[in-house]
Amino acid sequence: MLKKFFKEFKEFALKGNVIDLAVGVIIGAAFQSIVTAFTECFINPLINSIGGAEVGGRIQIGSTGQYIEYGAFITAVINFLIMAFAIFMIVKTINSLSKIGKKKEEPTAPLTRKCPYCYGEIDIKATKCMHCTSNIPTEE
């Protein structure tokens, strides 16, 4: 029973989708650290220099020693916006690249038509209706 369980787990874990997902999560985590560093090293100092607001700031709640760290929240929001924009641009680029090699499908000519007498569907080249046996005028 345990052998069957491990066999099923191995089949699941080695499927292409699971491996692709794992690689995506690892790359996403690495990309997140890059975005965080970019935000902390470039965006926060720019915001500090423009408005003089301290992005790394916090407000003490009474005299409890507890703080509301609004700077960390603002940094997290900026990180999220940068990540969302970057992922949007990557998906948009991949979608546009995937359309390059594809040909637009041209509309095909119909292969059937309706009998003018019984309205049954017949072959486009038919001269006699197989449903009502009427002679069909040819379209020129």
Side-chain angles (χ1 to χ4, degrees), residues 10-99:
K10 179 182 171 187
E11 289 173 4
F12 167 76
L14 296 180
K15 281 185 182 177
N17 295 342
V18 174
I19 294 172
D20 292 345
L21 179 63
V23 169
V25 168
I26 292 167
I27 291 173
F31 187 65
Q32 175 64 34
S33 66
I34 292 170
V35 170
T36 301
F38 176 75
T39 304
E40 291 175 355
C41 297
F42 293 101
I43 302 295
N44 290 352
L46 285 174
I47 292 173
N48 288 340
S49 67
I50 293 170
E54 188 181 337
V55 176
R58 60 187 189 176
I59 299 171
Q60 186 172 0
I61 303 172
S63 61
T64 61
Q66 299 297 316
Y67 295 93
I68 297 175
E69 298 190 17
Y70 64 88
F73 177 73
I74 292 172
T75 300
V77 169
I78 292 171
N79 285 348
F80 170 76
L81 293 175
I82 292 171
M83 286 288 292
F85 181 73
I87 291 170
F88 169 74
M89 293 305 294
I90 290 169
V91 169
K92 188 172 177 69
T93 302
I94 289 171
N95 287 342
S96 65
L97 289 176
S98 68
K99 292 178 185 176

